[in-house]
């Protein structure tokens, strides 16, 4: 231990064994005794601690953090041993930091925290250095450390020359360790362990291990550098060879051979480009020829020319539209969808007569699984064109449509141009799937980029950012699909002609399953034709009890599930039934997943069968109304939406307005609470079409007149009791038929919609067309009128 250190500790601590001292935590730094080093103070608390020390004895405790990511460290975030240091110089910087020169004096051990604010102050005890005895082992360890230090310096460690001379000539092994630790790139925990060493042998051993790790790091770095040098030599060799190849190609070109440039020129000439596009392409080719072969831009230009040469500038599929053949193909591929097929055939007929359509883009809108995408493939097959499908779901970057500019590394054309290039024809059927699921963020709005591509007046000169030349998309037959139109911007919606794809009825699903799905799944699962079949009742049970959808995807999955079970039995040598009956369905598919509501067993007061439309088809709703003593409140339950609640209030108001006419004498609207409930409360319900049903339920409850169980109704109600037009008539009527209803009440204004209902259903139902609530009451109430009993 140095005499100077001993004197400082005696003066600093005096007769006490501990003393309070301001503390400055350090990141990536350890201060050692008898070594001066610059430190930049940034933290506000540390600057306050420095100010306090400068007012007194200029002494601070410097302790390294054991957790570098902590902004305001506490005692647990610091090592327990630090160095007492004197501030020799202090300079305030323009950026608010303070730069100091600190000379380490002596080690000290942190005992506890004395204060946290306005700066960190701790109680410290002296941690003096031990007396160093120069034994043979100490001398051997010192010699080993010096040799390792020389090796580190020879391998490229950055050590100032004057420090190098001091270290190589020092005789004190303790100070040797401190100097090496400060001047070689060691980890903070390694330096801290060297600072905390209790004896000279431990200290030298720790320094030796840290230097050994540093030697390994430098060896690996040297190896990497050598490999990089080899790679650079290889690149230089490749550049030289490319230059030689260029000279050889030039020589061969002069003697009848073909160079890469000549090949490109030939491809560009054959591509059938418009003159202005060909001119630009040849300019780019000339640029590429003039560049040195090692230029990185050559690969970018080569890729650009490849795209230009591969695009079908003039290549078209020669299509001969045969309307009868197109109709046959559409009928083969899809059952039902008569209005959709009719509109498509009209579209093709006009194209056949005119030769080229400049009209709206077709947009197929409907629930999932209704055949929107597959009918696009059928259209392509019907007119003899290639089909390309591009999914827009989740696209948020405008560059996906228009491409990236060539200034970006890895730039490519947009997906429209890529699709045209893939099909090798400029007049394919191009389907933009899920157009309602396009997003927008800071990278732009893809729907705005689609405006030009989908506008027949503009898309004859569509400019992709990557190509930077116009490409004619007017021959492309664009078809878009969507589940909902709400999210499609109005400007884009205006460019498209919407064709609605309604959900399939139960009868249509049964026909699709019999004609398409069952044969397909039997073949997919290795069952021979005629080896197994499904009865109509079995398929109807699957449709009703195991699926609830507008399309047929889940129906196909359930049929496939049965086929797999049958295939397993066949593979095991078990004899399977020739026909799957309704009794076999539950055994093969398990308990039913869904159930359809049926009508009540008898006529009741305050219970009305309403009709609702859903994406998966029609449903019946049992609307209930009751009264109880209260304050005249209207209670609505059953997860009703805002519109449906307003419809219920309109029905209640109408019932109140005709209470005297109905013979209701007591002031129920003051003395009773009316509760209207629509069961299946977990399912959200909305819309105005239950207005007539809710009004009928309230009138029945007030008068005590029963409502016929075999009647279902739908229609919006006005405050004057008028029956207003609603939508989804076809689906609602089919739901009524399925549930055992014999009479359906609908508004007079919906009479025109009955034509959409299948004829066999129309024959089995009686339709009552009503203009107002009086008509409804006459038809729905048992006995034909509502009266007070």
């Amino acid at each position: 231990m140095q005499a100077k250190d001993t004197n400082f500790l005696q003066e600093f601590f005096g007769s006490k064994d501990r003393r309070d001292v301001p503390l400055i935590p350090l990141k990536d730094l350890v201060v050692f005794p008898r070594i001066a080093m610059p430190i930049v103070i940034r933290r506000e608390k540390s600057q306050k601690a420095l100010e306090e020390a400068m007012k007194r004895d200029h002494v601070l405790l410097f302790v390294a953090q054991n957790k570098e990511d902590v902004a305001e460290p506490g005692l647990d975030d610091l090592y327990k041993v630090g160095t007492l240091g004197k501030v020799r110089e202090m300079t305030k910087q323009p950026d608010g930091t303070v730069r100091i020169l600190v000379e380490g004096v002596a080690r000290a051990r942190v005992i506890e925290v004395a204060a946290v604010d306005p700066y960190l102050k701790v109680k410290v005890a002296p941690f003096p250095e031990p007396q160093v005895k120069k034994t043979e082992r100490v001398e051997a360890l010192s010699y080993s450390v010096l040799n390792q230090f020389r090796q580190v310096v020879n391998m490229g460690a950055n050590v100032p020359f004057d420090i190098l001379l001091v270290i190589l000539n020092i005789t004190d092994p303790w100070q040797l360790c401190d100097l090496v630790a400060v001047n070689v790139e060691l980890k903070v925990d390694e330096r801290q362990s060297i600072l905390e060493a209790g004896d000279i042998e431990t200290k030298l051993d720790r320094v030796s291990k840290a230097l050994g790790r540093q030697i390994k790091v430098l060896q690996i770095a040297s190896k990497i550098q050598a490999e990089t040098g080899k790679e650079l030599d290889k690149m230089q060799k490749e550049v030289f060879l490319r230059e030689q190849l260029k000279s050889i190609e030039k020589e061969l070109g002069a003697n009848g051979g073909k160079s890469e440039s000549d090949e490109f020129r030939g491809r560009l000439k054959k591509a059938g480009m418009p003159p202005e596009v060909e001119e630009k392409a040849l300019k780019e080719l000339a640029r590429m020829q003039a560049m040195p072969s090692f230029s990185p831009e050559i690969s970018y230009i080569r890729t650009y020319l490849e795209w230009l040469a591969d695009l079908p500038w003039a290549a078209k599929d020669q299509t001969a539209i045969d309307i009868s053949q197109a109709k046959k193909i559409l009928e083969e591929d899809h059952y039902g969808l008569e209005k959709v097929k009719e509109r498509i055939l009209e579209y093709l007929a006009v194209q056949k007569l005119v030769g080229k359509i400049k009209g709206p883009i077709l947009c197929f809108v409907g629930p999932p699984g209704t055949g929107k995408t597959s009918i696009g493939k059928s259209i392509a097959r019907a007119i003899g064109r290639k089909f390309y499908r591009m999914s827009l779901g989740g696209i948020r970057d405008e560059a996906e449509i228009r491409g990236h500019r060539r200034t970006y590394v890895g730039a490519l054309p947009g997906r429209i141009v890529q699709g045209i290039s893939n099909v090798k024809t400029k007049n394919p059927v191009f389907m933009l799937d899920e157009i309602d699921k396009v997003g927008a963020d800071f990278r732009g709005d893809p729907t705005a980029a689609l405006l030009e591509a989908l506008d027949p007046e503009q898309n004859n000169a569509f400019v992709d950012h990557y190509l930077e030349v116009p490409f004619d998309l007017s021959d492309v037959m664009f078809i878009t699909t969507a589940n909902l139109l709400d999210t499609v911007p109005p400007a884009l919606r205006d460019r498209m002609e919407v064709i609605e794809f309604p959900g399939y009825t139960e009868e249509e699903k049964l026909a699709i399953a019999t004609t398409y799905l069952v044969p397909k799944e039997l073949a997919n699962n290795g069952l021979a034709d005629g080896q197994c079949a499904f009865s109509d009742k079995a398929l109807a049970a699957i449709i009703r009890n195991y699926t609830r959808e507008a399309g047929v995807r889940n129906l196909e999955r359930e049929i496939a599930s049965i086929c797999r079970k049958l295939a397993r039995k066949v593979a095991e040598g078990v004899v399977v039934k020739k026909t799957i009956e309704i009794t076999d369905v539950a055994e093969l598919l398990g308990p039913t997943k869904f159930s359809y509501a049926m009508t009540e067993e008898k006529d009741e007061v305050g219970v009305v069968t309403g009709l609702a439309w859903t994406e998966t088809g029609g449903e019946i709703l049992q609307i209930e109304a009751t009264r109880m003593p209260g304050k005249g409140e209207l209670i609505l339950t059953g997860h009703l939406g805002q519109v449906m609640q307003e419809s219920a209030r309109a029905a209640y108001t109408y019932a109140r307005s005709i209470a005297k006419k109905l013979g209701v004498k007591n002031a129920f609207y003051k003395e009773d609470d009316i509760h209207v409930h629509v069961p299946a409360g977990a399912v959200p319900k909305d819309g105005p079409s239950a207005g007539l049903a809710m009004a009928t339920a309230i009138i029945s409850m007030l008068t005590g007149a029963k409502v016929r169980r075999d009647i279902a109704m739908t229609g919006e109600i006005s405050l004057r009791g008028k029956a207003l037009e609603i939508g989804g008539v076809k689906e609602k009527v089919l739901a009524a038929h399925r549930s055992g209803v014999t009479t359906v009440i609908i508004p007079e204004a919906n009479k025109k919609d009955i034509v959409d209902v299948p004829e066999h259903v129309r024959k089995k139902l009686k339709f009552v067309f009503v203009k107002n609530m009086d008509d409804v009451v006459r038809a729905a109430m048992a006995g034909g009128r509502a009266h007070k009993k």
Side-chain angles (χ1 to χ4, degrees):
M1 183 175 177
Q2 299 284 335
K4 185 178 178 182
D5 298 349
T6 306
N7 294 337
F8 171 79
L9 291 174
Q10 288 175 352
E11 290 175 9
F12 188 72
F13 287 98
S15 59
K16 299 177 182 178
D17 61 347
R18 61 185 63 186
R19 178 176 165 177
D20 292 355
V21 60
L23 182 145
I24 291 183
L26 301 175
K27 282 186 183 180
D28 302 324
L29 192 62
V30 177
V31 175
F32 284 85
R34 297 182 299 281
I35 297 175
M37 61 176 61
I39 299 174
V40 178
I41 308 295
R42 290 183 172 85
R43 294 189 182 107
E44 187 179 350
K45 280 191 175 184
S46 297
Q47 291 182 4
K48 288 180 179 177
L50 176 63
E51 289 173 6
E52 183 64 25
M54 297 305 288
K55 292 176 185 176
R56 299 186 178 181
D57 52 7
H58 295 200
V59 176
L60 293 148
L61 180 68
F62 296 90
V63 183
Q65 291 181 208
N66 55 33
K67 297 175 183 175
E68 294 181 12
D69 56 343
V70 179
E72 294 294 337
L75 193 61
D76 293 339
D77 305 316
L78 302 170
Y79 288 104
K80 302 305 178 187
V81 174
T83 302
L84 292 166
K86 273 204 169 188
V87 179
R88 298 301 185 189
E89 295 178 12
M90 184 180 82
T91 308
K92 290 186 178 181
Q93 303 295 320
D95 60 356
T97 60
V98 180
R99 185 181 178 85
I100 59 174
L101 181 66
V102 175
E103 182 186 357
V105 183
R107 298 188 300 177
R109 191 186 299 276
V110 178
I111 306 300
E112 61 184 1
V113 175
V116 176
D117 290 314
Y119 55 84
L120 192 59
K121 183 187 286 186
V122 294
K123 290 186 182 293
V124 298
F127 186 36
E129 297 173 4
Q131 293 292 333
V132 176
K133 293 182 180 179
K134 292 188 178 180
T135 62
E136 289 181 358
R137 177 170 170 77
V138 169
E139 287 183 7
L141 285 169
S142 300
Y143 184 73
S144 175
V145 165
L146 275 173
N147 281 339
Q148 286 178 303
F149 176 72
R150 287 192 185 97
Q151 189 175 354
V152 167
V153 172
N154 290 335
M155 294 177 74
N158 187 19
V159 180
F161 183 70
D162 53 342
I163 300 294
L164 179 62
L165 291 177
V166 171
I167 292 173
L168 293 176
N169 292 289
I170 200 166
T171 57
D172 183 352
W174 192 275
Q175 197 167 2
L176 169 67
C177 292
D178 289 348
L179 282 168
V180 170
V182 170
N183 290 284
V184 176
E185 287 289 334
L186 303 182
K187 295 180 180 178
V188 172
D189 57 345
E190 291 174 334
R191 287 175 173 167
Q192 184 67 29
S193 68
I194 294 167
L195 177 69
E196 293 179 3
D199 59 78
I200 186 60
E201 288 188 11
T202 302
K203 195 177 184 81
L204 285 165
D205 187 55
R206 290 176 179 177
V207 173
S208 179
K209 286 179 180 177
L211 288 173
R213 185 194 62 80
Q214 186 65 16
I215 288 168
K216 286 182 180 178
V217 170
L218 290 171
Q219 285 173 342
I220 293 170
S222 177
K223 185 179 178 182
I224 292 171
Q225 191 172 358
E227 289 174 355
T228 306
K230 288 178 183 176
E231 192 65 30
L232 288 172
D233 291 343
K234 184 181 175 183
M235 287 174 65
Q236 288 173 352
K237 183 179 179 181
E238 286 178 359
V239 169
F240 175 72
L241 290 174
R242 280 199 198 100
E243 288 293 339
Q244 279 191 326
L245 181 61
K246 195 173 178 182
S247 300
I248 293 167
E249 286 178 348
K250 188 176 180 182
E251 189 67 27
L252 286 172
N255 292 291
K258 268 196 172 183
S259 67
E260 181 188 36
S261 301
D262 292 334
E263 286 182 8
F264 261 127
R265 185 172 284 101
R267 288 175 62 190
L268 294 172
K269 292 282 186 183
K270 290 177 183 177
M273 301 175 180
E276 65 274 13
V277 178
E278 185 177 332
E279 182 183 351
K280 180 174 176 59
L282 293 175
K283 278 184 180 179
E284 290 294 323
L285 180 61
R287 277 186 64 214
M288 187 178 79
Q289 286 179 287
M291 286 181 178
S293 59
F294 55 83
S295 172
E297 197 174 349
I298 279 187
S299 62
Y300 302 149
I301 298 175
R302 185 184 290 114
T303 305
Y304 175 69
L305 293 174
E306 290 276 3
W307 276 106
L308 287 180
D310 289 342
L311 278 174
W313 297 94
K316 283 187 183 182
D317 287 331
Q318 298 301 317
T319 59
I321 298 174
D322 185 334
I323 301 300
S324 58
Q325 179 66 14
K327 182 179 180 181
K328 182 182 175 183
I329 290 173
L330 292 175
E331 292 293 344
E332 284 177 2
D333 294 350
H334 295 83
Y335 181 86
L337 304 174
E338 299 305 329
K339 287 188 175 180
V340 175
K341 292 175 184 174
E342 184 181 348
R343 178 65 190 90
I344 290 168
L345 291 172
E346 291 170 359
Y347 187 93
L348 297 178
V350 174
Q351 188 168 27
K352 179 178 181 178
L353 296 175
V354 176
K356 188 173 183 180
I357 285 184
K358 280 201 172 182
I361 308 299
L362 294 182
C363 178
F364 299 157
V365 179
T370 51
K372 298 184 297 296
T373 303
S374 59
I375 208 166
K377 295 179 182 177
S378 299
I379 292 170
R381 190 160 74 92
I383 62 178
R385 292 193 188 183
K386 290 180 181 173
F387 177 80
Y388 185 84
R389 174 184 165 274
M390 170 182 165
S391 177
L392 296 175
I395 286 181
R396 293 180 174 272
D397 189 354
E398 183 194 359
E400 291 280 351
I401 307 298
R402 281 193 173 277
H404 296 84
R405 298 194 183 277
R406 286 195 290 146
T407 50
Y408 296 106
V409 175
L412 285 172
R415 290 175 61 181
I416 291 178
V417 170
Q418 288 185 41
I420 299 293
S421 179
N422 286 340
V423 295
K424 304 296 183 187
T425 176
K426 66 179 297 188
N427 64 339
V429 174
F430 200 115
M431 176 161 279
L432 299 168
D433 217 0
E434 312 291 359
I435 198 169
D436 57 327
K437 296 172 183 63
V438 177
D441 60 15
F442 64 93
R443 292 169 290 187
D445 184 358
T447 58
L450 284 171
L451 292 177
E452 181 186 356
L454 298 184
D455 190 339
E457 299 297 329
Q458 301 179 39
N459 64 9
N460 62 335
F462 176 75
V463 178
D464 186 276
H465 286 159
Y466 181 82
L467 297 182
E468 296 177 341
V469 291
F471 187 85
D472 185 4
L473 296 178
S474 61
D475 291 314
V476 179
M477 184 177 182
F478 283 106
I479 299 174
T480 66
T481 71
N483 297 129
L484 299 167
L485 282 177
D486 300 351
T487 56
V488 180
L492 187 57
R493 200 182 315 158
D494 184 58
R495 285 165 165 77
M496 302 185 295
E497 178 168 340
V498 175
I499 297 179
E500 295 279 354
F501 273 61
Y504 292 112
T505 65
E506 187 174 310
E507 288 76 10
E508 288 172 337
K509 289 181 182 178
L510 182 60
I512 291 169
T514 304
T515 310
Y516 302 99
L517 303 183
V518 171
K520 175 184 173 184
E521 291 305 325
L522 288 174
N524 287 347
N525 290 278
L527 299 171
D529 190 24
Q531 192 171 1
C532 184
F534 288 72
S535 70
D536 287 351
K537 288 185 178 180
L539 290 172
I542 297 171
I543 293 165
R544 286 189 176 190
N545 301 325
Y546 293 90
T547 66
R548 182 157 291 179
E549 57 179 343
V552 291
R553 282 182 184 155
N554 286 325
L555 174 59
E556 185 175 1
R557 291 189 189 104
E558 298 299 336
I559 293 171
S561 178
I562 291 176
C563 291
R564 284 196 301 273
K565 288 178 170 60
L566 296 176
R568 178 183 171 184
K569 288 182 179 180
V570 170
E572 291 173 348
V574 179
V575 178
V576 297
K577 294 179 69 174
K578 289 286 185 183
T579 304
I580 303 298
E581 300 291 349
I582 189 170
T583 52
D584 304 315
V585 173
E587 180 187 344
L588 292 166
L589 293 180
T592 60
K593 299 176 183 177
F594 305 101
S595 61
Y596 283 92
M598 301 299 288
T599 57
E600 297 293 323
E601 294 181 358
K602 60 180 181 179
D603 298 346
E604 293 192 31
V605 175
V607 179
V608 177
T609 302
L611 297 172
W613 177 91
T614 68
E615 282 191 359
T616 59
E619 289 280 354
I620 68 167
L621 299 174
Q622 299 296 341
I623 298 171
E624 305 168 345
T626 189
R627 65 194 291 184
M628 67 206 94
K631 299 179 181 179
E633 292 184 8
L634 175 63
I635 303 167
L636 303 172
T637 55
H639 209 327
L640 309 185
Q642 182 66 30
V643 176
M644 199 166 182
Q645 290 183 35
E646 291 173 359
S647 187
R649 291 190 183 94
Y652 176 64
T653 301
Y654 172 74
R656 277 185 60 182
S657 70
I658 63 166
K660 189 177 290 186
K661 179 181 174 182
L662 295 172
V664 181
K665 293 180 180 179
N666 70 319
F668 69 91
Y669 53 86
K670 291 182 180 178
E671 300 168 0
D672 295 339
D673 287 345
I674 305 296
H675 189 160
V676 177
H677 177 67
V678 184
V683 180
K685 309 167 193 73
D686 207 356
S689 63
L692 294 181
M694 287 190 282
T696 305
I698 293 171
I699 291 170
S700 169
M701 176 267 302
L702 291 174
T703 62
K706 293 182 178 180
V707 181
R708 288 170 53 187
R709 59 174 288 276
D710 61 340
I711 282 183
M713 63 184 72
T714 181
E716 183 178 355
I717 188 173
S718 73
L719 289 177
R720 295 175 293 165
K722 290 187 178 295
L724 305 178
E725 186 177 4
I726 43 82
V729 171
K730 176 185 174 183
E731 289 81 3
K732 292 175 181 178
V733 170
L734 290 172
H737 173 251
R738 184 176 60 233
S739 304
V741 168
T742 59
T743 304
V744 179
I745 297 174
I746 62 174
E748 178 81 24
N750 285 108
K751 192 172 183 178
K752 63 184 186 304
D753 299 316
I754 298 301
V755 70
D756 295 331
V757 179
E759 187 177 354
H760 72 279
V761 175
R762 292 204 303 268
K763 288 179 179 179
K764 292 179 181 179
L765 292 175
K766 178 185 176 184
F767 294 95
V768 178
F769 301 103
V770 296
K771 293 181 178 179
N772 51 48
M773 274 303 299
D774 290 341
D775 297 340
V776 176
V777 169
R778 274 193 297 272
M781 298 293 185
R785 64 190 184 89
H787 61 278
K788 181 70 177 175
K789 284 189 175 180

